[in-house]
Amino acid sequence: MELSIPVPVLALMERLEDRGFEAWAVGGCVRDRLLGLAPHDWDLCTDALPGEIAQVFEDFPLVRAGEKHGTIAVVTGRQPVEITTFRTEGGYRDHRRPDWVHFEKSLREDLARRDFTINAMAYNPHRGLADPFGGQADLADCILRAVGEPEKRFREDGLRILRGVRFAARFHLTPEPRTLAAMTALAPTLNGLARERIFGELCGFLPAACAKDFQTFWPVITAAVPALAPMLGFRQHNPHHAFDVYTHTAYVVAGVPPELPLRWAALLHDVAKPACFTLDEEGVGHFRGHAHRGAEMAREILGQLHAPRALQDRVATLIAYHGVTRDLGRLPGDRPLRRLLRRLGEETLWDLLALDRADDSGKGTPSDPAAFDRFEASLRQILAEQPCLTTRDLAISGRDLLELGLPQGPELGRILQTLLEEVGDGRLPNTPEVLLRRAEVLHQRHNANRRKS
């Protein structure tokens, strides 16, 4: 078997080998190459000690921050290549870093400390594939299997549980029973991890997730995001919903495009339903206000996970307005849609449409699919007209109003906003002459109201 290795990485391996050391590509890069994928980065392992690695590459820029744990990064090409001495590790009292490391001369010992068999493989162009734990066979059989004793692996670093969920989703793997049992039993240990680490793994999981992943790994997912737990088994008592809130959410996540803001919005779009639930006299469930409350909860959840503010804002907006595309698709005329387009922008409306379509199809009994088609047709028609969406699209500017004699100040902005609304609603043509005349009228009206008050 021959795996392709980038020339700069191969040159590092050859230099180590020429100095009498073993050099192996290891972990995810080997896994990805076996799957025919392009690795994001390349990691090497060697029997050379850290000081010897530094000596071999003394003419390269080095990053030695991880030297204590046996890792030195050699800067070559576009990104550093981490080279780590074969090692075994002690306990993980903080569930993240080993209490101690012991440098080894055996590649097998080094591979034995890794998380999953699919990541416990190494490759050398001259020696071939080293696969002491059957990672290649597990890849072929689509199996996720921990190396050695699963509980020990996950107690060492609880984040490995979420990494396993991410690997299973990305590579379509089924966890073998002992591995799944350990992941489930130790899911509560996620509470002790840094929230930004959990956020990073969830961002890797969500774009790859399918509905089945949410069912298989529900103890892990709800431990990572505790606000999802009340959704489990929560019956909606509604003729339009065939599933509990959690199962419905799983279908919605899988139904939107694999873009991070959309996937997060789908995951959290109904997070407030259990808190907003009421049952009417006929036994029908209602969730009044759950969209706006859900937007608030989404901000709290993403804030606790240290998500970027831009992502928090976008997800909260999508959740607050979810359902609106169906509602507007049922209304005659397009004035409300034009107003919403000006308020939210084109990109957000397309995302809302994708979210609402998935929300409707994920009910099990879709309510009105044709409404989304009507909304889409109306939106495309409006966009084809190249509408005014911001004051910058008007045929006049604030400077034109100043030259007209209007004073600098808040009134200027209010007049421009009024002109935008009237043009956007089709009440005014977007021409300089008409807009300037209308601006004069609005200014005179403003002065008259001030004199009356």
Side-chain angles (χ1 to χ4, degrees), residues 191-270:
N191 295 329
L193 298 178
R195 305 307 293 173
E196 58 268 22
R197 296 182 77 204
I198 290 177
F199 174 72
E201 289 298 331
L202 289 172
C203 286
F205 161 69
L206 284 174
C210 68
K212 182 181 177 182
D213 296 321
F214 284 87
Q215 300 301 323
T216 301
F217 298 110
W218 68 262
V220 178
I221 293 168
T222 55
V225 186
L228 300 177
M231 296 159 52
L232 282 165
F234 197 100
R235 293 179 57 204
Q236 304 199 54
H237 297 279
N238 190 291
H240 296 302
H241 282 278
F243 309 115
D244 66 272
V245 179
Y246 181 85
T247 303
H248 163 69
T249 295
Y251 285 118
V252 178
V253 173
V256 298
E259 300 163 9
L260 207 51
L262 267 173
R263 289 283 168 123
W264 272 109
L267 180 69
L268 301 175
H269 80 286
D270 278 351

Side-chain angles (χ1 to χ4, degrees), residues 340-357:
L340 191 66
L341 179 60
R342 292 196 301 274
R343 184 183 308 159
L344 301 182
E346 178 184 351
E347 183 180 359
T348 300
L349 281 197
W350 286 122
D351 282 352
L352 270 174
L353 180 60
L355 177 61
D356 286 347
R357 283 189 187 276

